[in-house]
Amino acid sequence: MSDPAPGFRDRVLALVAQIPRGRVMTYGQLALLAGQPGAARQAGYVLNSLMEGSDLPWQRVINAQGRVSTHKVGFGDLQEGLLRAEGVTFDESGRCDLARLQWWPEGTPLAPPPSLL
């Protein structure tokens, strides 16, 4: 599959490199911040294409339900283990608390407003 726009792959990888330890970003959020809203699947393809031994924290990208999506390609247990080692917790249904753990780059105008509660 080709990238939806020139430079998309580079923007996705640059964003993934910034996600702090113990925090997560969703595929859709990653696509949005990389300039291609709605291209969550393409963002996933970019991460799936990383060569073994990549230093990028690919494990910090999860689905919009707060779950690991890589079980179907054989990396789900590895991804969950890497995230748990960073302090990311999952409930009994396999979800992490996106309200608490989702990361947005500072100053991102697309970030949701802070909770009012």
Side-chain angles (χ1 to χ4, degrees):
M1 167 155 279
S2 63
D3 290 338
F8 179 74
R9 176 184 171 81
D10 292 337
R11 291 190 302 273
V12 164
L13 297 178
L15 284 162
V16 171
Q18 296 176 52
I19 305 171
R21 180 176 179 81
R23 302 294 297 274
V24 295
M25 185 178 274
T26 68
Y27 294 101
Q29 174 191 7
L30 187 57
L32 176 71
L33 293 172
Q36 291 298 308
R41 187 167 294 192
Q42 289 82 356
Y45 291 143
V46 169
L47 295 181
N48 192 46
S49 73
L50 291 176
M51 299 298 290
E52 235 180 274
S54 170
D55 290 334
L56 286 176
W58 60 271
Q59 73 274 11
R60 296 176 187 156
V61 183
I62 61 175
N63 69 31
Q65 289 76 45
R67 293 187 167 129
V68 166
S69 294
T70 53
H71 287 289
K72 55 189 155 205
V73 292
F75 297 110
D77 290 340
L78 172 63
Q79 184 175 10
E80 281 185 12
L82 291 168
L83 287 169
R84 286 181 198 279
E86 295 184 5
V88 174
T89 56
F90 296 89
D91 67 16
E92 55 281 341
S93 71
R95 290 181 186 214
C96 77
D97 183 357
L98 283 176
R100 186 173 58 84
L101 297 172
Q102 188 172 19
W103 177 77
W104 290 84
E106 194 169 319
T108 303
L110 303 170
S115 174
L116 298 176
L117 301 177

